[in-house]
Amino acid sequence: MEIISDITETQDRCLATRASGQTIAFVPTMGFLHDGHLSLLREGRKRGDLLVLSIFVNPTQFGQGEDLDHYPRDFERDESLARAAGVDLIFYPSAEAIYPAGYATYVTVEGPLTTTLEGACRPTHFRGVTTVVAKLFSIVQPHVALFGRKDHQQLAVIRRMSADLNLPVDIVGMPIVREVDGLAMSSRNVYLSPAERQQALVLSQALDRGRQLVADGVREVAEVLAALHAMIDAQQDARIDYLLICHQATLREQERIDADSVLLLAVSIGKTRLIDNGSLLNPQDF
Ligand code: PAF
């Protein structure tokens, strides 16, 4: 397994791979790998001759007061997990290399896809995500890139960007990986105290309850949301940032639940902000 920090070296290596007729599968991450990332790497291993993992805690997607400085990092652990997952190349650039002095170019997906939900709480977040993902695609030149569906909105935004910019990369969304008790895997779960970890289960429990209500025949969004609000508010340290039912692709809010409905929620448990989502009528996530 190669570890390359230099942008030109990585790009040359990937361009040579493409030129030789081999395919490149790419998993972009901010490191501190968990089982969710490993499921992306497993799928990437099947889909590409060269499997590239990037590890880069991208400063432009963090707002002021967010956890950039404290974002968990453990490169040695990531390296051994990546090796075991069959990664061929870790691209591990510095922030100065990605955003050198004088850097001035940003990629923005406009409209409700980026201004609602996470975008409403974190106004510069998606501009940072699309900018870095566009740059990473340009460096790694992947045929296929894999993203977790836990960040449902991020996936929708990246699909939009890739389609709008005619990027020749197949964007694949992979199912959410959960702990046995239902908590969606996230690098931020390490911040939770044992008591908060218990309360954090309310996110997946709310999804289950929403699905149950829909299975029982409820189709009014307002009725489902009222029940879930009450359930989450009952947790002492839980504060809802958003709890919405939207169309899975446009992210427009819906009034009635249909096959395209996705429940999206962001809940802070103490100081830790967690997100989760899932389809309500379809057995599988979008
Ligand atoms: O999902 C993430 O880890 C990040 O948002 C991504 C896609 C690697 C961009 O920094």
Side-chain angles (χ1 to χ4, degrees), residues 27-31 37 54 56-58 61-62 71 125 128-130 132-133 136 146-148 151 154 158 187:
V27 178
T29 76
M30 299 208 297
H37 297 117
S54 66
F56 178 61
V57 181
N58 174 35
Q61 69 189 75
F62 289 78
Y71 195 81
H125 173 68
V129 170
T130 41
V132 81
V133 170
L136 290 168
L146 300 105
F147 295 85
D151 295 298
Q154 168 172 281
I158 289 170
S187 303

Side-chain angles (χ1 to χ4, degrees), residues 238-252:
R239 188 179 49 76
I240 298 172
D241 279 358
Y242 59 76
L243 172 63
L244 293 170
I245 293 174
C246 300
H247 183 281
Q248 51 94 10
T250 65
L251 297 186
R252 289 190 192 283

Side-chain angles (χ1 to χ4, degrees), residues 148-164:
R149 289 187 201 144
K150 180 168 151 287
D151 295 298
H152 181 96
Q153 187 175 14
Q154 168 172 281
L155 182 57
V157 169
I158 289 170
R159 284 193 200 285
R160 183 77 268 156
M161 173 190 77
S162 301
D164 289 353

